[in-house]
Amino acid sequence: MTYTNPTENRRSNKGIRPVQWTQHFFVVSSAILLSIVCLSCKTQKDSSSPLSQVSVQWELLQNTEEPTYGSETRFIFSNTGKDTVRGGNWFMEYNMDTYLPSQMADSTMGIVSHINGYVFHFTPGTAFQIPPGQSVAVNYSNSSPIIKASAGPIGAFFVESDESGNERIITLQKPVEILGYDDLSRVFPSEEIRATVPTAASEYQKNSSLTKLLPEQTGLIIPTPQTWIRSQGNFTINKTTLLQVEKGLESEASYLAQALKERFGISIEVQTSQKASEKSIYLGFQPTKAGKGDEDYEILCSEMGIQVRGNQPAGVFYGIQSMLATIPASAYGTSQNVNVPAMTVFDTPRFAYRGFLLDVARNFTPKKELLKLIDLLAMYKVNKLNLRITEDEGWRIEIKGLPELTQIGSRRGYTKDSRKHLLTAFGSGPDPDSPGNKSTGYYTREEFKEILKYAAQRHVEVIPEVCFPSHARAAIMAMEARYDTYMKKGEKEKAEEFRLIDPQDTSRYYSAQKFRDNIACAARPSVYHFYETVIKDFIDMYQEAGLKLKTFNTGGDEVPKGAWSGSPMCLDLMKTMPEIRDPLQFQGYFLGKALEILKKYGLRTTGWEEVVLNKDSQGNVQVNPKFIGQNVYPLVWDNTGNNIDLGNRIANAGYPVILCNVTNLYFDLSYTTDPTEKGLHWGGFQDAIDPYVLTPLNVYNSTNFDWFGRLGTTEVPYPGKERLKAENRKNIYGLQAQLWSETLVDGPEQLEYYVLPKLFAFAEKSWAQAPAWEEETDVQKRVAQIRTSWNEFTNRIGQHEMPRLDLINGGYAYRIPSPGGTLTEGRLYTNVSFPGLEVRYTTDGSEPSATSALWSEPVAVEGSIRIRAFNKKGRGGKSFVIQ
């Protein structure tokens, strides 16, 4: 297996890594780039054109492995109208991930070309013609396999020009239909990889190590407390129960009272008190037996009452979450009495930083959906929310004095110059203001302050990420529009004040997402003026919310080879700085300048691993010691290939590291190789167990869990790779899970589908104490211990946690996995990944529903058998046919 320069390929979805398939990087030939002209042409919608009667299909003909890696695909254009459709003055714009076209079978029929980022065009050739009632196909090759149906063209529309150059948009009657993904031999030429696509039989084998446990054999709290002792009896909460709280815990008391009312219909009286009385719930401060940390807590529950104590409010809040977690789903709703089991709990977190990144820039997450996610994170003791709030494809926050950032940067649609809105991406379509357009939106300053206060009550620190100098296209285009506005007014000084580019820059590069114009000029003083202006406004928003901005994420990832190499401003600056020997080292220069600003305001800095690495154009990478001890916390995502020890190297150098390992903690990676399952796969496939098997202090102990999520019993040697030194274990400061939003085009349900059930294992890994198997040196013993502990954990999820989440905040759309099944001597056997889910079946080939036959034990069946898993609310997952 090989892995070529993953820094430039993160999230670019170039194919699959194992066996013989290799990730590649391609530069589309400038000869096929459609020239962009007529910047002042008018654009209008039109449905009278013959193109309005054209439907489009896109078909995967074959992914190829030999002699070259790639794919053969085609567009099929069908004319349902009465007029012949000819080539000429039109093209079709659409979005795809960055699978670049490499060859046309017949360019006289048309050309497929990459424009910028996620924008592609099909331009008809001289021979293109569709008579009424007929279809034509245009074949072309791609320089990468395309293994997911969701990676096909989306958001397509036609653009037609008249003789004067005026353009009109012709929308398709229905989205492009994607074909070919029901034939696995087309998708996976390798039989070995094809065998990884889930079936009833393979899932049955995978789940064979799982058994359903009795309720008393499972835990009730996720993440697992350090010490949890169950006792006989319960404490009953009802309308006569008092909630007594010490001063300083009013917010926590309010949260608990509201939770009891919303979940169980119980309204209780809240009193301020310095000591607990009988038959009450008491929230108080007290040094805990768990330790002295701010998040430590203890719960003492007996038939006489409940006491939840912590050193600080955060600890008390987490104690409340653990107490609520012990109440079964059967008690939810209008209830007169709710029983909390008698128990003693002492608890402390493993890691101080337990983070979750949500990319709200690529596809926007509205405030309501974000608050629901914050509730979920708080329930599982995740204490940091890293909001990737700016990107190439979107700027999602209102900044005082710079309205162009949201006027232009928060909207996407058809454009030639991005002066009114950004390029289309992720199927946004031509109209940035169309109803339900997930590409459009931003948080007003008032909305953001509401989000901050909501998160603070739940002890979630919101960390804004404004990515610079890379991933800056939205800001660059907004500030170019501002520049144009003031230049037209003759106000050059004001026009230059926030400009982010060197207008003479001739650098040639492709970012990981194939943008050619997304890097801010590191040598331009106005870039740092812009950056400080943005930071100051964030500080103001936090202050206005009654909070303090503590941590700021500079981003800084994925600066591509070639950036700044053609910038006169940067090259002139290099002449005065002998320590910069390669233009790529301006990334470190930028961080140094940014740190001066951040230090001025007393901010802790996080940023992607690249901010503490020295790179050159030959791809050589070394840890840069310059920022050690300067409150810089690198987020280390790359644990692939030769960089498996990168986190160790950075921690051993002295940096406090936050591990974000792509192979375990990138929640937007697809659960399976199933071509119909959404998600990216450039970092492998990631099921619910992947965060669980991460071993943060010894990354090598988790590598026997392969690219397809299969747990093997063969140890992988890593000669010459750096180990984490014992004295530097303290430098693993925390963990962070990531949810990038390229594929979040289906609304909040898709977000929750990606997050759950993976979040359960992440919470366990980042809070609970390390299980013994993490340090087990015998791989076979380690695997056996993982299977045993995972069995209990899956029961906890399936029997207790999923039913509870069905009833909180209107329910969460967690992924329900397909069941396993097999026929043995005419009898149906089934199992599930999370014992507690139900399996229902049909014998006539029809799709099982929530009222179909419930499987409970081996049963004699005949006919065409189809099985499907359901939760307690009757929501089902994908079904399987029993072969």
Side-chain angles (χ1 to χ4, degrees):
M1 295 186 292
T2 61
Y3 191 90
T4 308
N5 194 1
T7 301
E8 291 190 6
N9 195 39
R10 180 150 63 98
R11 303 191 304 278
S12 58
N13 200 12
K14 287 298 179 200
I16 56 179
R17 174 177 177 250
V19 191
Q20 298 180 16
W21 289 30
T22 311
Q23 293 174 320
H24 292 280
F25 308 92
F26 304 98
V27 177
V28 66
S29 168
S30 60
I32 65 170
L33 284 174
L34 186 68
S35 60
I36 299 179
V37 294
C38 191
L39 300 185
S40 61
C41 297
K42 295 179 180 178
T43 303
Q44 57 187 358
K45 292 186 178 181
D46 193 285
S47 59
S48 62
S49 167
L51 287 168
S52 66
Q53 301 301 312
V54 173
S55 63
V56 184
Q57 297 170 309
W58 181 88
E59 184 173 13
L60 173 69
L61 299 173
Q62 185 65 60
N63 282 324
T64 58
E65 184 175 339
E66 298 293 346
T68 58
Y69 301 98
S71 54
E72 299 296 328
T73 56
R74 67 176 179 175
F75 279 108
I76 304 169
F77 299 90
S78 300
N79 184 359
T80 62
K82 298 179 180 179
D83 299 315
T84 297
V85 176
R86 294 180 173 85
N89 58 342
W90 63 270
F91 60 86
M92 180 178 71
E93 179 164 311
Y94 63 94
N95 300 141
M96 283 186 71
D97 207 338
T98 50
Y99 299 105
L100 298 182
S102 58
Q103 184 180 350
M104 301 300 300
D106 180 5
S107 60
T108 66
M109 288 297 293
I111 292 176
V112 173
S113 53
H114 173 251
I115 303 304
N116 199 6
Y118 296 88
V119 177
F120 293 78
H121 284 179
F122 170 80
T123 307
T126 56
F128 189 93
Q129 181 172 296
I130 322 175
Q134 297 189 29
S135 302
V136 298
V138 182
N139 291 40
Y140 68 103
S141 303
N142 302 275
S143 299
S144 186
I146 305 175
I147 71 168
K148 291 287 186 178
S150 58
I154 55 176
F157 55 92
F158 297 113
V159 180
E160 188 175 45
S161 301
D162 63 21
E163 293 179 355
S164 301
N166 295 312
E167 293 182 328
R168 52 185 177 180
I169 302 294
I170 296 103
T171 56
L172 275 66
Q173 294 180 352
K174 61 179 181 178
V176 175
E177 183 181 4
I178 307 299
L179 306 174
Y181 285 88
D182 55 350
D183 183 351
L184 291 181
S185 64
R186 295 192 198 186
V187 183
F188 298 115
S190 165
E191 200 171 313
E192 183 179 352
I193 299 177
R194 197 155 60 241
T196 67
V197 177
T199 64
S202 69
E203 291 301 289
Y204 189 79
Q205 176 62 33
K206 177 182 170 183
N207 298 335
S208 62
S209 62
L210 302 176
T211 57
K212 188 171 184 179
L213 303 177
L214 297 173
E216 59 268 24
Q217 294 176 297
T218 72
L220 296 177
I221 302 169
I222 295 177
T224 305
Q226 183 182 47
T227 300
W228 179 35
I229 302 171
R230 297 169 78 167
S231 307
Q232 294 294 319
N234 303 284
F235 175 72
T236 301
I237 303 174
N238 55 39
K239 63 181 180 180
T240 65
T241 305
L242 289 178
L243 175 54
Q244 298 178 311
V245 297
E246 281 192 42
K247 288 183 178 179
L249 293 172
E250 291 81 5
S251 177
E252 289 66 34
S254 174
Y255 177 90
L256 176 56
Q258 188 68 18
L260 292 172
K261 183 176 181 179
E262 290 178 353
R263 300 182 194 183
F264 312 108
I266 297 176
S267 297
I268 61 176
E269 182 182 345
V270 180
Q271 292 182 348
T272 301
S273 176
Q274 289 299 111
K275 62 179 182 178
S277 60
E278 289 188 1
K279 300 296 183 179
S280 72
I281 303 171
Y282 184 74
L283 309 181
F285 294 113
Q286 179 176 307
T288 71
K289 294 182 180 179
K292 298 180 180 179
D294 289 353
E295 297 177 313
D296 298 352
Y297 70 88
E298 65 182 25
I299 304 173
L300 305 175
C301 179
S302 69
E303 294 179 349
M304 302 306 294
I306 302 173
Q307 295 186 39
V308 180
R309 299 181 181 273
N311 303 314
Q312 295 294 332
V316 175
F317 179 80
Y318 292 133
I320 289 169
Q321 294 295 349
S322 291
M323 183 197 75
L324 290 171
T326 64
I327 302 172
S330 58
Y332 281 61
T334 302
S335 179
Q336 298 296 316
N337 299 292
V338 171
N339 290 325
V340 178
M343 59 185 165
T344 301
V345 178
F346 303 120
D347 205 4
T348 186
R350 181 183 185 184
F351 292 110
Y353 186 109
R354 305 177 302 281
F356 184 87
L357 176 143
L358 178 64
D359 169 13
V360 299
R362 289 193 170 100
N363 279 304
F364 184 58
T365 300
K367 184 187 74 171
K368 181 180 178 181
E369 297 171 21
L370 184 56
L371 298 183
K372 188 179 179 187
L373 174 66
I374 291 170
D375 271 326
L376 185 71
L377 299 178
M379 284 173 60
Y380 298 103
K381 305 181 178 70
V382 176
N383 64 351
K384 313 290 182 184
L385 174 58
N386 182 160
L387 279 184
R388 177 92 161 194
I389 211 161
T390 74
E391 254 296 349
D392 296 321
E393 304 91 349
W395 183 284
R396 307 299 184 179
I397 185 75
E398 180 184 14
I399 297 297
K400 196 187 308 179
L402 294 174
E404 299 88 354
L405 287 170
T406 48
Q407 289 169 354
I408 289 136
S410 73
R411 302 163 68 242
R412 293 198 295 258
Y414 174 64
T415 180
K416 290 178 176 179
D417 60 4
S418 296
R419 288 308 195 263
K420 293 185 177 179
H421 49 255
L422 302 179
L423 294 166
T424 62
F426 316 120
S428 57
D431 183 359
D433 301 315
S434 61
N437 190 336
K438 286 287 287 183
S439 72
T440 292
Y442 66 92
Y443 304 119
T444 66
R445 297 177 88 259
E446 292 306 312
E447 285 179 320
F448 191 66
K449 286 185 280 186
E450 288 178 46
I451 292 166
L452 294 178
K453 288 186 278 190
Y454 194 87
Q457 190 194 18
R458 290 151 181 79
H459 295 276
V460 175
E461 178 188 357
V462 177
I463 301 171
E465 179 176 356
V466 176
C467 196
F468 259 69
S470 56
H471 290 279
R473 189 177 190 276
I476 288 169
M477 294 303 154
M479 293 302 96
E480 283 301 283
R482 184 183 187 280
Y483 173 84
D484 291 346
T485 297
Y486 284 105
M487 286 299 288
K488 288 176 183 176
K489 296 178 180 180
E491 300 180 40
K492 185 176 180 180
E493 184 177 347
K494 207 162 187 180
E496 297 277 3
E497 183 181 5
F498 294 106
R499 203 173 192 192
L500 301 177
I501 63 167
D502 176 356
Q504 305 303 318
D505 191 351
T506 59
S507 302
R508 294 174 63 85
Y509 60 82
Y510 265 125
S511 74
Q513 290 75 29
K514 296 300 178 283
F515 286 100
R516 296 174 284 120
D517 52 0
N518 74 333
I519 307 298
C521 179
R524 189 180 185 97
S526 56
V527 168
Y528 303 99
H529 175 50
F530 171 89
Y531 207 62
E532 183 167 7
T533 300
V534 171
I535 290 169
K536 285 170 65 177
D537 202 38
F538 271 107
I539 291 171
D540 289 347
M541 283 187 272
Y542 277 72
Q543 288 178 340
E544 290 165 20
L547 302 167
K548 182 179 180 181
L549 176 62
K550 300 175 183 177
T551 309
F552 193 83
N553 187 334
T554 66
D557 56 326
E558 298 185 329
V559 174
K561 178 181 177 180
W564 302 307
S565 60
S567 164
M569 295 180 75
C570 290
L571 296 177
D572 286 346
L573 183 59
M574 278 183 69
K575 295 174 185 177
T576 69
M577 301 184 69
E579 66 272 24
I580 297 182
R581 297 180 296 277
D582 187 285
L584 276 180
Q585 292 177 340
F586 273 113
Q587 186 165 6
Y589 173 82
F590 177 88
L591 180 63
K593 298 280 285 184
L595 275 179
E596 292 176 9
I597 298 169
L598 295 164
K599 284 180 181 177
K600 186 193 304 185
Y601 300 105
L603 296 174
R604 175 166 61 183
T605 303
T606 59
W608 297 98
E609 64 202 36
E610 291 96 323
V611 302
V612 298
L613 299 177
N614 274 329
K615 299 188 293 183
D616 61 32
S617 54
Q618 279 68 51
N620 300 310
V621 175
Q622 292 181 326
V623 179
N624 182 358
K626 182 177 179 180
F627 307 116
I628 294 172
Q630 296 192 44
N631 219 13
V632 176
Y633 291 70
L635 302 161
V636 182
W637 66 267
D638 187 8
N639 66 309
T640 60
N642 288 330
N643 283 326
I644 188 168
D645 64 341
L646 185 57
N648 293 347
R649 283 186 273 148
I650 296 174
N652 285 339
Y655 285 103
V657 166
I658 299 163
L659 293 178
C660 308
N661 296 16
V662 59
T663 58
N664 304 82
L665 301 176
Y666 269 45
F667 286 6
D668 57 308
L669 295 181
S670 181
Y671 283 90
T672 73
T673 53
D674 182 347
T676 66
E677 176 129 39
K678 279 193 174 182
L680 303 182
H681 54 83
W682 64 271
F685 302 88
Q686 197 172 108
D687 208 342
I689 194 175
D690 283 73
Y692 190 80
V693 298
L694 173 66
T695 49
L697 303 183
N698 187 351
V699 66
Y700 310 105
N701 275 6
S702 59
T703 57
N704 59 297
F705 204 80
D706 76 7
W707 207 249
F708 299 104
R710 297 176 297 188
L711 194 58
T713 55
T714 302
E715 197 74 88
V716 181
Y718 290 93
K721 292 299 176 185
E722 196 166 319
R723 304 278 166 165
L724 182 64
K725 297 176 182 178
E727 64 270 25
N728 293 323
R729 286 189 161 205
K730 65 181 183 301
N731 287 340
I732 304 300
Y733 184 66
L735 307 179
Q736 180 167 285
Q738 281 62 232
L739 181 56
W740 305 98
S741 67
E742 290 102 314
T743 59
L744 287 180
V745 296
D746 293 336
E749 293 79 13
Q750 185 70 36
L751 185 154
E752 292 167 9
Y753 180 96
Y754 280 137
V755 172
L756 296 163
K758 294 177 185 179
L759 184 68
F760 300 130
F762 172 73
E764 183 75 3
K765 186 59 58 175
S766 58
W767 175 285
Q769 302 306 298
W773 56 259
E774 282 194 17
E775 300 294 339
E776 176 56 61
T777 57
D778 185 302
V779 65
Q780 295 197 16
K781 290 181 181 178
R782 185 164 70 245
V783 168
Q785 291 169 15
I786 289 172
R787 292 193 189 282
T788 298
S789 59
W790 181 244
N791 182 58
E792 187 279 326
F793 199 67
T794 60
N795 273 270
R796 209 185 313 176
I797 294 169
Q799 293 193 51
H800 186 73
E801 217 57 34
M802 285 177 168
R804 197 165 74 101
L805 286 183
D806 289 334
L807 303 168
I808 295 173
N809 284 341
Y812 286 88
Y814 53 83
R815 179 181 185 266
I816 298 175
S818 300
T822 187
L823 285 174
T824 303
E825 297 180 350
R827 300 176 73 82
L828 175 63
Y829 292 76
T830 77
N831 56 25
V832 287
S833 301
F834 297 103
L837 293 173
E838 298 176 343
V839 179
R840 295 184 180 271
Y841 66 95
T842 57
T843 58
D844 59 1
S846 63
E847 183 74 358
S849 70
T851 59
S852 297
L854 176 65
W855 187 92
S856 59
E857 59 184 2
V859 59
V861 292
E862 293 181 349
S864 178
I865 313 303
R866 187 178 285 270
I867 58 174
R868 189 179 178 198
F870 290 85
N871 67 3
K872 301 298 183 185
K873 300 289 284 186
R875 185 169 62 86
K878 181 179 178 180
S879 65
F880 274 147
V881 174
I882 302 286
Q883 300 293 338

